[in-house]
Amino acid sequence: GAGVSQSPSNKVTEKGKDVELRCDPISGHTALYWYRQSLGQGLEFLIYFQGNSAPDKSGLPSDRFSAERTGGSVSTLTIQRTQQEDSAVYLCASSSRLAGYRHQETQYFGPGTRLLVL
Amino acid sequence: QKEVEQNSGPLSVPEGAIASLNCTYSDRGSQSFFWYRQYSGKSPELIMFIYSNGDKEDGRFTAQLNKASQYVSLLIRDSQPSDSATYLCAVSGNYGGSQGNLIFGKGTKLSVKP
């Protein structure tokens, strides 16, 4: 079946502009995650959605970052007033994460959105 | 602060050799452990996961877990140039707890020389 999809694949924007990044998880997956990966760095957790529960926003670096997930499926990550340090690859992942089934913690990643803030 | 540590490398091995990648983690309550491979410019892809102490084999890959020592390793037998990539270790929080995300190490870059 289809994997995790993200759009756009690349985004170039000017400092101070707002951007929206989209993630479409694997069908039926209840958990959705956003990560950021700067050049040559590891994955930085941003936010996690699980079903209808309140999202875990503990990784968001500032209040310029927000995310929502509509209808338990598609998610949008919004970065307001972008800064040059926001330049990175933004990765989305999903998992089924059903209680009692450990292997379903496995996260499957989308191709990412490469964001460049000039 | 829960941490996952990996040697950044690069780890260079000759073709056909065994590559050994190591990872330590700080949260003793961690339950699930994952190895991802990430080629340059690509997103991470799962290689394997392990939950129980001991070894788990899948083809040329063997994951080893030692919860008492809080380390997990990945062995790649008969290494091929196509195995050249960055290998990410990931650890999940206490199962059933509120933490849903995986904590990733910064990765070890592996280079397999022909």
Side-chain angles (χ1 to χ4, degrees):
Chain A
V4 178
S5 61
Q6 292 185 246
S7 61
S9 54
N10 291 281
K11 177 71 176 179
V12 181
T13 190
E14 294 179 349
K15 177 181 173 181
K17 301 279 190 183
D18 297 352
V19 296
E20 286 189 350
L21 313 179
R22 176 188 167 106
C23 172
D24 204 336
I26 293 172
S27 178
H29 278 192
T30 59
L32 186 148
Y33 313 78
W34 283 98
Y35 295 89
R36 177 169 71 173
Q37 188 172 34
S38 301
L39 189 63
Q41 300 298 309
L43 292 172
E44 176 188 5
F45 166 73
L46 297 177
I47 188 169
Y48 156 60
F49 296 90
Q50 169 59 22
N52 296 321
S53 301
D56 176 356
K57 304 179 181 180
S58 60
L60 294 178
S62 78
D63 58 8
R64 295 186 297 105
F65 289 73
S66 63
E68 63 178 22
R69 189 179 184 192
T70 53
S73 181
V74 173
S75 176
T76 302
L77 176 69
T78 300
I79 309 173
Q80 296 178 309
R81 304 180 303 281
T82 52
Q83 304 294 312
Q84 289 179 331
E85 60 263 28
D86 298 334
S87 297
V89 176
Y90 288 82
L91 290 161
C92 175
S94 71
S95 72
S96 52
R97 201 169 168 81
L98 295 175
Y101 293 90
R102 273 181 166 177
H103 68 281
Q104 289 168 340
E105 295 177 289
T106 300
Q107 294 183 22
Y108 298 91
F109 285 84
T113 293
R114 282 165 179 73
L115 175 65
L116 177 61
V117 182
L118 300 177
Chain B
Q1 182 76 359
K2 298 173 182 177
E3 295 181 342
V4 176
E5 300 285 343
Q6 294 181 256
N7 188 321
S8 62
L11 173 65
S12 184
V13 300
E15 184 174 357
I18 295 176
S20 178
L21 305 163
N22 300 312
C23 170
T24 59
Y25 58 95
S26 62
D27 183 5
R28 187 168 289 277
S30 298
Q31 298 286 335
S32 306
F33 308 86
F34 302 81
W35 282 101
Y36 285 83
R37 176 176 61 199
Q38 186 174 28
Y39 290 113
S40 181
K42 302 294 185 182
S43 58
E45 54 180 336
L46 180 74
I47 297 176
M48 60 193 306
F49 54 82
I50 186 168
Y51 304 128
S52 303
N53 277 326
D55 295 0
K56 179 182 179 183
E57 187 174 319
D58 184 0
R60 295 187 296 112
F61 298 96
T62 299
Q64 299 175 317
L65 175 60
N66 184 323
K67 289 186 178 180
S69 300
Q70 294 177 239
Y71 85 78
V72 57
S73 63
L74 179 70
L75 300 178
I76 307 175
R77 290 181 299 282
D78 188 24
S79 296
Q80 301 297 309
S82 59
D83 294 326
S84 298
T86 296
Y87 289 79
L88 303 172
C89 172
V91 176
S92 75
N94 290 319
Y95 188 72
S98 60
Q99 182 178 358
N101 58 295
L102 294 180
I103 300 174
F104 283 83
K106 294 189 185 303
T108 297
K109 187 172 184 178
L110 173 67
S111 177
V112 181
K113 302 295 186 183

